[in-house]
Structure formats: structure tokens, C-alpha cells
Amino acid sequence: MTVSADDLIAVTAWTDLDELGEEMDELAGQIGTLTSYARRWVCQRAGFEPSPLCLLRPLAEVMDLVADGLGALESLALDDWADLRLGVARTARDLRLLDEDVAARMPVVA
């Protein structure tokens, strides 16, 4: 498996699918990191509540909604990613079994 300069993953052999799972796990971790960062630093109520007279104060409640939306987005993305990861693992297993079956049926050349 190769990763190009523009971060495209090229699967050049069936055995590369085994490594692809690890790459996918790393990307799943990045989804969590990004949404956690956004909830912590973007969705801060404090910036909109410096005083009771602040005109932007109503936006503080919106930050809670944005944080909830980011949590839902993270959950949806990770669920979909887990399904995709499982599909890759199953495909790799099926291809490996098929290769073994074909190899068992082919005559061995000495």
C-alpha cells in the first residue's frame, strides 16, 4: 500500500487491505479529536456571557446546540466508519480465502 503526496491511499495488493484497517483506525481517532476540539474551543458560552447586558448573550445557548450537533455528527461518523472498517476486514478475509482456495486447486510447478 502506498500513500501519495496528496494523501491518497493506493491498494496495490490484496495484502494491503490488512494495513488499510490500521490506517482507518487512525482516521477514526482523528474524527474524535476534531469534534472534541470543536466542542471545547468553538462552543464556549463564556465569550457570549461577559455581562448580563451583553447583546450577544443569546448566542451562548446556541453554542450548546452546536456542541450537541457536533456530538451527533461524531457518533454518526464513527458508526458509519466502523461499518466501512468491518466491510474492509470482511473483504480482505474473503479475498484471502479465495486466494487460498485457488492456490489449493492449482497444480504446483516445481
Side-chain angles (χ1 to χ4, degrees):
M1 179 169 53
T2 59
V3 179
S4 65
D6 52 357
D7 291 333
L8 295 176
I9 297 173
V11 176
T12 55
W14 296 132
T15 55
D16 289 347
L17 292 176
D18 297 332
E19 297 172 24
L20 184 57
E22 294 172 10
E23 296 289 332
M24 292 179 76
D25 291 342
E26 184 178 325
L27 290 173
Q30 291 177 9
I31 292 169
T33 300
L34 286 171
T35 53
S36 293
Y37 179 88
R39 283 194 303 267
R40 181 175 181 189
W41 296 106
V42 175
C43 303
Q44 292 186 19
R45 294 179 63 111
F48 300 104
E49 298 175 327
S51 78
L53 300 175
C54 180
L55 294 175
L56 298 176
R57 193 172 183 85
L59 292 177
E61 293 178 28
V62 174
M63 293 299 106
D64 293 339
L65 294 173
V66 172
D68 290 344
L70 286 168
L73 172 67
E74 177 182 11
S75 179
L76 179 66
L78 290 176
D79 287 348
D80 285 350
W81 199 253
D83 287 344
L84 182 60
R85 171 75 165 86
L86 181 60
V88 167
R90 286 179 176 164
T91 299
R93 183 198 64 217
D94 290 348
L95 289 170
R96 189 171 23 267
L97 290 173
L98 181 61
D99 279 348
E100 290 170 3
D101 187 43
V102 169
R105 293 172 189 254
M106 299 284 288
V108 177
V109 178

